Amino acid sequence: MHWKFTKMHGAGNDFVVLDGVRETIALTPERARKLAHRQFGVGADQILLVEPATRADADFRYRIFNSDGSEVEHCGNGARCFVRFVREQGLTDRNPVRAEIATGVITLDLRDDGSVSVEMGSTRFDPASVPFDASGLTPRIEGEAELWPLDVSGTATPDDANADPAHTAWVTVVAISNPHAVQVVDDVDTAPVAIVGPRVEHHPRFPRRVNAGFMQIVDRQQIRLRVYERGAGETLACGTGACAAVAAGIRRGLLDSPVQVHTRGGILTIDWDGAQLRMAGPTQTVFESTVDVDALIG
Ligand SMILES: N[C@H](CCC[C@H](N)C(=O)O)C(=O)O
């Protein structure tokens, strides 16, 4: 099965993008995982599939698969690459472009300077929306935010509400469309992302797993951020993670919109008015090629 693909990235968060408009692309979790494999495949954090819209108020359908094959609700950096892709491929000349995602329609605007701003949709902080099982936990209140004590010892069980303070991460949970758990750290460079990240991602209190954000406050309008992504591990940048971190920081009374988010792959600018999020940042098309996906052995 030979497919054309385009390799792209948004602030170093890299993607294989597939045109499911001009050809039928039968993307499965297994094929997504093989394409994303860094050695046996093309290599990517996520696979993005562009398809015809299934609803009248959207121009295209936009589907996202993590490198572990899981299909998810949203990808912020991917959304910016998506809008660049559909214009570069001549699939539309509309601007803004409306993309149908799992939880609704988002609006994408390609600006004259080449940056792309994305209406990221609404934000929810109630545990049920994330989803996060907060039963038996008492949150710490900071500003308007709830900080939940998460046992990150690596031996957490669903009903363990008595985490050892030395192994407790105080997280704000946020649903952008996808789930995030954001904690503030003193220095992202020394934060134990590789150890605590997977423990948060797979914590039993997140029934659909979660993206784990580690945010360092630089000043009221700048943060540094690392994200251990659900289904992909640490990436150089995470668009929805940047949105979740900024919304959490503003609710905690630590940040003022707009916020510059310094990631390892580049700078994202996030605006949040308490309801709608807007994200702007860089995108790049790296190369185009074809791949016989069923011949991959990964
Ligand atoms: N790993 C995320 C999907 C990709 C999000 C990230 N790459 C972004 O730019 O928002 C999840 O499982 O929800």
Side-chain angles (χ1 to χ4, degrees):
M1 174 95 63
H2 280 82
W3 290 343
K4 271 183 58 186
F5 69 87
T6 301
K7 186 74 175 31
M8 304 182 78
H9 74 85
N13 183 194
D14 68 330
F15 311 108
V16 165
V17 189
L18 300 168
D19 175 355
V21 175
R22 291 198 175 109
E23 59 176 311
T24 302
I25 298 278
L27 186 58
T28 62
E30 185 58 19
R31 284 172 168 161
R33 195 185 55 73
K34 285 186 173 183
L35 279 171
H37 197 288
R38 294 286 179 194
Q39 287 75 35
F40 295 126
V42 177
D45 294 326
Q46 280 88 30
I47 310 297
L48 310 182
L49 175 56
V50 182
E51 293 182 323
T54 66
R55 43 187 291 176
D57 59 345
D59 301 305
F60 298 98
R61 186 182 179 198
Y62 161 50
R63 297 172 68 187
I64 304 105
F65 293 75
N66 283 315
S67 54
D68 72 352
S70 55
E71 183 168 4
V72 291
E73 308 88 343
H74 199 347
C75 175
N77 288 320
R80 295 200 319 280
C81 290
F82 161 93
V83 68
R84 181 167 178 160
F85 176 81
V86 294
R87 289 176 68 83
E88 286 179 350
Q89 296 295 322
L91 292 171
T92 185
D93 56 7
R94 296 185 67 130
N95 196 29
V97 176
R98 299 164 304 169
E100 172 190 343
I101 59 173
T103 53
V105 176
I106 55 174
T107 306
L108 308 138
D109 192 345
L110 183 58
R111 294 171 168 166
D112 296 341
D113 66 359
S115 73
V116 177
S117 76
V118 186
E119 289 284 355
M120 294 291 287
S122 65
T123 43
R124 303 288 304 272
F125 298 92
D126 57 296
S129 296
V130 176
F132 170 64
D133 172 10
S135 57
L137 297 182
T138 304
R140 205 168 73 198
I141 305 301
E142 191 178 290
E144 295 173 45
E146 291 173 323
L147 280 65
W148 298 97
L150 207 58
D151 174 356
V152 293
S153 64
T155 59
T157 57
D159 58 355
D160 179 350
N162 306 310
D164 169 357
H167 292 103
T168 297
W170 288 89
V171 298
T172 299
V173 296
V174 192
I176 300 296
S177 290
N178 58 351
H180 291 268
V182 185
Q183 57 187 289
V184 171
V185 295
D186 294 333
D187 182 344
V188 291
D189 292 331
T190 58
V193 175
I195 294 170
V196 174
R199 291 180 182 176
V200 174
E201 178 197 3
H202 296 282
H203 197 285
R205 287 185 177 276
F206 291 99
R208 298 178 59 186
R209 298 187 289 165
V210 71
N211 297 283
F214 299 79
M215 163 169 63
Q216 175 186 344
I217 307 291
V218 175
D219 61 36
R220 292 194 63 84
Q221 290 194 282
Q222 287 189 88
I223 64 172
R224 300 178 69 211
L225 181 69
R226 291 173 67 183
V227 181
Y228 190 93
E229 287 198 28
R230 174 180 64 169
E234 182 174 6
T235 56
L236 292 182
C238 177
T240 51
C243 291
V246 167
I250 290 171
R251 280 205 23 133
R252 290 181 62 166
L254 304 172
L255 298 174
D256 301 313
S257 184
V259 177
Q260 284 212 321
V261 181
H262 297 264
T263 76
R264 294 188 152 185
I267 296 174
L268 302 178
T269 303
I270 310 295
D271 271 285
W272 186 53
D273 62 6
Q276 286 296 322
L277 277 159
R278 289 185 70 80
M279 169 189 60
T283 59
Q284 185 161 36
T285 298
V286 180
F287 68 91
E288 292 189 344
S289 187
T290 60
V291 60
D292 180 355
V293 64
D294 291 330
L296 300 180
I297 61 170

